[in-house]
mmCIF file of all heavy atoms in Angstrom:
data_model
loop_
_atom_site.group_PDB
_atom_site.id
_atom_site.type_symbol
_atom_site.label_atom_id
_atom_site.label_comp_id
_atom_site.label_asym_id
_atom_site.label_seq_id
_atom_site.Cartn_x
_atom_site.Cartn_y
_atom_site.Cartn_z
ATOM 1 N N LEU A 40 6.482 22.149 125.413
ATOM 2 C CA LEU A 40 5.660 22.275 126.611
ATOM 3 C C LEU A 40 4.340 21.521 126.481
ATOM 4 O O LEU A 40 3.565 21.459 127.440
ATOM 5 C CB LEU A 40 5.385 23.758 126.891
ATOM 6 C CG LEU A 40 6.625 24.615 127.165
ATOM 7 C CD1 LEU A 40 6.221 26.072 127.382
ATOM 8 C CD2 LEU A 40 7.403 24.087 128.366
ATOM 9 N N ALA A 41 4.074 20.969 125.306
ATOM 10 C CA ALA A 41 2.863 20.181 125.081
ATOM 11 C C ALA A 41 3.257 18.794 124.595
ATOM 12 O O ALA A 41 4.267 18.626 123.901
ATOM 13 C CB ALA A 41 1.963 20.873 124.053
ATOM 14 N N ASN A 42 2.465 17.809 124.964
ATOM 15 C CA ASN A 42 2.815 16.428 124.637
ATOM 16 C C ASN A 42 2.979 16.184 123.143
ATOM 17 O O ASN A 42 3.797 15.375 122.718
ATOM 18 C CB ASN A 42 1.750 15.484 125.208
ATOM 19 C CG ASN A 42 1.782 15.422 126.720
ATOM 20 O OD1 ASN A 42 2.816 15.689 127.336
ATOM 21 N ND2 ASN A 42 0.656 15.091 127.344
ATOM 22 N N GLY A 43 2.197 16.896 122.324
ATOM 23 C CA GLY A 43 2.259 16.653 120.891
ATOM 24 C C GLY A 43 3.355 17.404 120.171
ATOM 25 O O GLY A 43 3.568 17.204 118.969
ATOM 26 N N ASP A 44 4.080 18.262 120.886
ATOM 27 C CA ASP A 44 5.141 19.045 120.268
ATOM 28 C C ASP A 44 6.490 18.373 120.459
ATOM 29 O O ASP A 44 6.678 17.554 121.361
ATOM 30 C CB ASP A 44 5.190 20.458 120.868
ATOM 31 C CG ASP A 44 3.979 21.283 120.491
ATOM 32 O OD1 ASP A 44 3.348 20.969 119.458
ATOM 33 O OD2 ASP A 44 3.657 22.228 121.237
ATOM 34 N N ARG A 45 7.450 18.786 119.625
ATOM 35 C CA ARG A 45 8.810 18.297 119.747
ATOM 36 C C ARG A 45 9.725 19.478 120.028
ATOM 37 O O ARG A 45 9.408 20.621 119.686
ATOM 38 C CB ARG A 45 9.242 17.592 118.454
ATOM 39 C CG ARG A 45 8.388 16.381 118.115
ATOM 40 C CD ARG A 45 8.845 15.714 116.851
ATOM 41 N NE ARG A 45 10.199 15.195 116.971
ATOM 42 C CZ ARG A 45 10.791 14.467 116.009
ATOM 43 N NH1 ARG A 45 10.147 14.210 114.892
ATOM 44 N NH2 ARG A 45 12.018 14.031 116.179
ATOM 45 N N PRO A 46 10.881 19.232 120.647
ATOM 46 C CA PRO A 46 11.824 20.328 120.882
ATOM 47 C C PRO A 46 12.211 20.987 119.552
ATOM 48 O O PRO A 46 12.268 20.332 118.518
ATOM 49 C CB PRO A 46 13.027 19.627 121.522
ATOM 50 C CG PRO A 46 12.464 18.375 122.114
ATOM 51 C CD PRO A 46 11.361 17.948 121.191
ATOM 52 N N LYS A 47 12.462 22.306 119.606
ATOM 53 C CA LYS A 47 12.825 23.062 118.418
ATOM 54 C C LYS A 47 14.265 23.543 118.523
ATOM 55 O O LYS A 47 14.631 24.294 119.431
ATOM 56 C CB LYS A 47 11.888 24.259 118.255
ATOM 57 C CG LYS A 47 12.310 25.263 117.184
ATOM 58 C CD LYS A 47 12.359 24.627 115.806
ATOM 59 C CE LYS A 47 12.756 25.658 114.747
ATOM 60 N NZ LYS A 47 12.907 25.029 113.420
ATOM 61 N N ALA A 48 15.109 23.082 117.593
ATOM 62 C CA ALA A 48 16.497 23.542 117.557
ATOM 63 C C ALA A 48 16.538 24.974 117.036
ATOM 64 O O ALA A 48 15.898 25.301 116.038
ATOM 65 C CB ALA A 48 17.322 22.630 116.663
ATOM 66 N N THR A 49 17.292 25.825 117.722
ATOM 67 C CA THR A 49 17.381 27.228 117.333
ATOM 68 C C THR A 49 18.767 27.634 116.861
ATOM 69 O O THR A 49 18.978 28.773 116.447
ATOM 70 C CB THR A 49 16.994 28.128 118.522
ATOM 71 O OG1 THR A 49 17.888 27.877 119.618
ATOM 72 C CG2 THR A 49 15.562 27.858 118.962
ATOM 73 N N GLY A 50 19.731 26.723 116.949
ATOM 74 C CA GLY A 50 21.099 27.047 116.545
ATOM 75 C C GLY A 50 21.264 27.117 115.044
ATOM 76 O O GLY A 50 20.422 26.640 114.274
ATOM 77 N N LYS A 51 22.365 27.726 114.633
ATOM 78 C CA LYS A 51 22.705 27.830 113.222
ATOM 79 C C LYS A 51 24.127 27.329 113.004
ATOM 80 O O LYS A 51 25.033 27.636 113.784
ATOM 81 C CB LYS A 51 22.593 29.278 112.747
ATOM 82 C CG LYS A 51 21.175 29.842 112.780
ATOM 83 C CD LYS A 51 21.142 31.256 112.204
ATOM 84 C CE LYS A 51 19.719 31.819 112.178
ATOM 85 N NZ LYS A 51 19.696 33.187 111.608
ATOM 86 N N VAL A 52 24.292 26.561 111.942
ATOM 87 C CA VAL A 52 25.608 26.044 111.589
ATOM 88 C C VAL A 52 26.284 27.040 110.649
ATOM 89 O O VAL A 52 25.722 27.411 109.618
ATOM 90 C CB VAL A 52 25.495 24.667 110.915
ATOM 91 C CG1 VAL A 52 26.855 24.203 110.409
ATOM 92 C CG2 VAL A 52 24.914 23.648 111.895
ATOM 93 N N ALA A 53 27.474 27.483 111.031
ATOM 94 C CA ALA A 53 28.232 28.426 110.204
ATOM 95 C C ALA A 53 29.459 27.738 109.627
ATOM 96 O O ALA A 53 30.070 26.879 110.276
ATOM 97 C CB ALA A 53 28.653 29.634 111.032
ATOM 98 N N HIS A 54 29.807 28.119 108.411
ATOM 99 C CA HIS A 54 31.056 27.652 107.809
ATOM 100 C C HIS A 54 32.206 28.521 108.304
ATOM 101 O O HIS A 54 32.104 29.753 108.291
ATOM 102 C CB HIS A 54 30.988 27.749 106.286
ATOM 103 C CG HIS A 54 30.098 26.723 105.650
ATOM 104 N ND1 HIS A 54 28.726 26.853 105.626
ATOM 105 C CD2 HIS A 54 30.396 25.555 105.022
ATOM 106 C CE1 HIS A 54 28.208 25.794 104.993
ATOM 107 N NE2 HIS A 54 29.193 24.996 104.632
ATOM 108 N N ILE A 55 33.281 27.894 108.717
ATOM 109 C CA ILE A 55 34.477 28.662 109.067
ATOM 110 C C ILE A 55 35.073 29.251 107.797
ATOM 111 O O ILE A 55 35.338 30.454 107.711
ATOM 112 C CB ILE A 55 35.481 27.769 109.817
ATOM 113 C CG1 ILE A 55 34.880 27.360 111.171
ATOM 114 C CG2 ILE A 55 36.811 28.493 110.008
ATOM 115 C CD1 ILE A 55 35.724 26.395 111.966
ATOM 116 N N CYS A 56 35.296 28.416 106.809
ATOM 117 C CA CYS A 56 35.655 28.877 105.462
ATOM 118 C C CYS A 56 34.424 28.685 104.589
ATOM 119 O O CYS A 56 33.871 27.582 104.527
ATOM 120 C CB CYS A 56 36.831 28.083 104.897
ATOM 121 S SG CYS A 56 38.376 28.323 105.794
ATOM 122 N N ALA A 57 33.988 29.758 103.953
ATOM 123 C CA ALA A 57 32.700 29.771 103.256
ATOM 124 C C ALA A 57 32.537 28.610 102.284
ATOM 125 O O ALA A 57 33.511 28.096 101.716
ATOM 126 C CB ALA A 57 32.531 31.087 102.507
ATOM 127 N N ALA A 58 31.282 28.213 102.099
ATOM 128 C CA ALA A 58 30.969 27.105 101.195
ATOM 129 C C ALA A 58 31.044 27.520 99.736
ATOM 130 O O ALA A 58 31.248 26.678 98.859
ATOM 131 C CB ALA A 58 29.577 26.562 101.504
ATOM 132 N N SER A 59 30.881 28.802 99.448
ATOM 133 C CA SER A 59 30.805 29.282 98.069
ATOM 134 C C SER A 59 31.740 30.467 97.860
ATOM 135 O O SER A 59 32.017 31.230 98.801
ATOM 136 C CB SER A 59 29.371 29.704 97.719
ATOM 137 O OG SER A 59 28.457 28.656 97.985
ATOM 138 N N PRO A 60 32.245 30.649 96.640
ATOM 139 C CA PRO A 60 33.109 31.799 96.339
ATOM 140 C C PRO A 60 32.408 33.110 96.698
ATOM 141 O O PRO A 60 31.208 33.272 96.497
ATOM 142 C CB PRO A 60 33.321 31.683 94.829
ATOM 143 C CG PRO A 60 33.128 30.236 94.519
ATOM 144 C CD PRO A 60 32.057 29.773 95.467
ATOM 145 N N GLY A 61 33.171 34.023 97.250
ATOM 146 C CA GLY A 61 32.616 35.304 97.644
ATOM 147 C C GLY A 61 32.104 35.345 99.059
ATOM 148 O O GLY A 61 31.811 36.416 99.588
ATOM 149 N N GLY A 62 31.993 34.178 99.701
ATOM 150 C CA GLY A 62 31.522 34.121 101.077
ATOM 151 C C GLY A 62 32.630 34.425 102.063
ATOM 152 O O GLY A 62 33.814 34.473 101.703
ATOM 153 N N PRO A 63 32.288 34.623 103.324
ATOM 154 C CA PRO A 63 33.282 34.950 104.347
ATOM 155 C C PRO A 63 34.356 33.874 104.485
ATOM 156 O O PRO A 63 34.044 32.696 104.603
ATOM 157 C CB PRO A 63 32.448 35.053 105.632
ATOM 158 C CG PRO A 63 31.052 35.323 105.167
ATOM 159 C CD PRO A 63 30.912 34.584 103.876
ATOM 160 N N ARG A 64 35.582 34.284 104.397
ATOM 161 C CA ARG A 64 36.755 33.418 104.632
ATOM 162 C C ARG A 64 36.851 32.276 103.621
ATOM 163 O O ARG A 64 37.364 31.200 103.937
ATOM 164 C CB ARG A 64 36.730 32.864 106.073
ATOM 165 C CG ARG A 64 36.758 33.928 107.159
ATOM 166 C CD ARG A 64 36.464 33.356 108.535
ATOM 167 N NE ARG A 64 35.105 32.811 108.605
ATOM 168 C CZ ARG A 64 34.031 33.521 108.921
ATOM 169 N NH1 ARG A 64 34.144 34.797 109.213
ATOM 170 N NH2 ARG A 64 32.833 32.968 108.941
ATOM 171 N N TYR A 65 36.354 32.484 102.420
ATOM 172 C CA TYR A 65 36.391 31.426 101.402
ATOM 173 C C TYR A 65 37.834 31.034 101.097
ATOM 174 O O TYR A 65 38.706 31.889 100.938
ATOM 175 C CB TYR A 65 35.701 31.890 100.127
ATOM 176 C CG TYR A 65 35.688 30.838 99.027
ATOM 177 C CD1 TYR A 65 34.814 29.765 99.092
ATOM 178 C CD2 TYR A 65 36.565 30.919 97.943
ATOM 179 C CE1 TYR A 65 34.795 28.796 98.107
ATOM 180 C CE2 TYR A 65 36.557 29.954 96.952
ATOM 181 C CZ TYR A 65 35.668 28.889 97.037
ATOM 182 O OH TYR A 65 35.658 27.934 96.051
ATOM 183 N N ASP A 66 38.087 29.745 101.005
ATOM 184 C CA ASP A 66 39.413 29.210 100.701
ATOM 185 C C ASP A 66 39.299 28.371 99.439
ATOM 186 O O ASP A 66 38.755 27.268 99.460
ATOM 187 C CB ASP A 66 39.916 28.360 101.870
ATOM 188 C CG ASP A 66 41.330 27.830 101.660
ATOM 189 O OD1 ASP A 66 41.852 27.976 100.534
ATOM 190 O OD2 ASP A 66 41.892 27.257 102.612
ATOM 191 N N GLU A 67 39.840 28.902 98.345
ATOM 192 C CA GLU A 67 39.695 28.217 97.059
ATOM 193 C C GLU A 67 40.472 26.915 96.997
ATOM 194 O O GLU A 67 40.221 26.071 96.126
ATOM 195 C CB GLU A 67 40.139 29.139 95.931
ATOM 196 C CG GLU A 67 41.604 29.530 95.981
ATOM 197 C CD GLU A 67 41.991 30.463 94.845
ATOM 198 O OE1 GLU A 67 41.099 30.918 94.106
ATOM 199 O OE2 GLU A 67 43.200 30.724 94.707
ATOM 200 N N GLU A 68 41.395 26.707 97.924
ATOM 201 C CA GLU A 68 42.194 25.476 97.903
ATOM 202 C C GLU A 68 41.477 24.306 98.568
ATOM 203 O O GLU A 68 41.900 23.161 98.437
ATOM 204 C CB GLU A 68 43.542 25.716 98.576
ATOM 205 C CG GLU A 68 44.420 26.712 97.823
ATOM 206 C CD GLU A 68 45.792 26.848 98.452
ATOM 207 O OE1 GLU A 68 46.047 26.155 99.469
ATOM 208 O OE2 GLU A 68 46.609 27.619 97.921
ATOM 209 N N MET A 69 40.410 24.580 99.289
ATOM 210 C CA MET A 69 39.660 23.499 99.927
ATOM 211 C C MET A 69 38.774 22.794 98.916
ATOM 212 O O MET A 69 38.276 23.417 97.978
ATOM 213 C CB MET A 69 38.790 24.051 101.065
ATOM 214 C CG MET A 69 39.568 24.620 102.234
ATOM 215 S SD MET A 69 38.482 25.282 103.541
ATOM 216 C CE MET A 69 37.842 23.758 104.239
ATOM 217 N N THR A 70 38.570 21.502 99.124
ATOM 218 C CA THR A 70 37.630 20.765 98.291
ATOM 219 C C THR A 70 36.211 21.000 98.793
ATOM 220 O O THR A 70 36.002 21.474 99.922
ATOM 221 C CB THR A 70 37.927 19.263 98.330
ATOM 222 O OG1 THR A 70 37.674 18.780 99.666
ATOM 223 C CG2 THR A 70 39.377 18.972 97.946
ATOM 224 N N LYS A 71 35.239 20.653 97.978
ATOM 225 C CA LYS A 71 33.841 20.779 98.384
ATOM 226 C C LYS A 71 33.569 19.936 99.620
ATOM 227 O O LYS A 71 32.842 20.365 100.537
ATOM 228 C CB LYS A 71 32.921 20.360 97.241
ATOM 229 C CG LYS A 71 31.441 20.485 97.565
ATOM 230 C CD LYS A 71 30.569 20.122 96.372
ATOM 231 C CE LYS A 71 29.097 20.250 96.708
ATOM 232 N NZ LYS A 71 28.228 19.896 95.555
ATOM 233 N N GLN A 72 34.157 18.755 99.671
ATOM 234 C CA GLN A 72 33.959 17.873 100.821
ATOM 235 C C GLN A 72 34.534 18.501 102.088
ATOM 236 O O GLN A 72 33.924 18.429 103.157
ATOM 237 C CB GLN A 72 34.613 16.512 100.572
ATOM 238 C CG GLN A 72 34.394 15.504 101.694
ATOM 239 C CD GLN A 72 35.011 14.160 101.393
ATOM 240 O OE1 GLN A 72 35.857 14.029 100.512
ATOM 241 N NE2 GLN A 72 34.594 13.139 102.124
ATOM 242 N N GLN A 73 35.702 19.115 101.976
ATOM 243 C CA GLN A 73 36.308 19.756 103.142
ATOM 244 C C GLN A 73 35.468 20.935 103.624
ATOM 245 O O GLN A 73 35.321 21.145 104.827
ATOM 246 C CB GLN A 73 37.722 20.230 102.790
ATOM 247 C CG GLN A 73 38.728 19.100 102.635
ATOM 248 C CD GLN A 73 40.061 19.587 102.085
ATOM 249 O OE1 GLN A 73 40.130 20.574 101.344
ATOM 250 N NE2 GLN A 73 41.134 18.901 102.449
ATOM 251 N N ARG A 74 34.904 21.696 102.696
ATOM 252 C CA ARG A 74 34.092 22.856 103.085
ATOM 253 C C ARG A 74 32.840 22.422 103.845
ATOM 254 O O ARG A 74 32.358 23.130 104.725
ATOM 255 C CB ARG A 74 33.706 23.671 101.851
ATOM 256 C CG ARG A 74 34.870 24.345 101.166
ATOM 257 C CD ARG A 74 34.418 25.307 100.060
ATOM 258 N NE ARG A 74 35.562 25.769 99.292
ATOM 259 C CZ ARG A 74 35.917 25.314 98.101
ATOM 260 N NH1 ARG A 74 35.171 24.387 97.510
ATOM 261 N NH2 ARG A 74 36.977 25.775 97.498
#
Side-chain angles (χ1 to χ4, degrees):
L40 298 178
N42 291 335
D44 292 337
R45 299 180 63 175
K47 170 61 179 176
T49 60
K51 295 184 178 180
V52 174
H54 287 79
I55 294 176
C56 295
S59 306
R64 300 169 296 272
Y65 181 76
D66 183 351
E67 63 181 8
E68 295 185 0
M69 294 179 73
T70 66
K71 181 177 180 180
Q72 183 178 17
Q73 288 171 331
R74 293 188 189 102

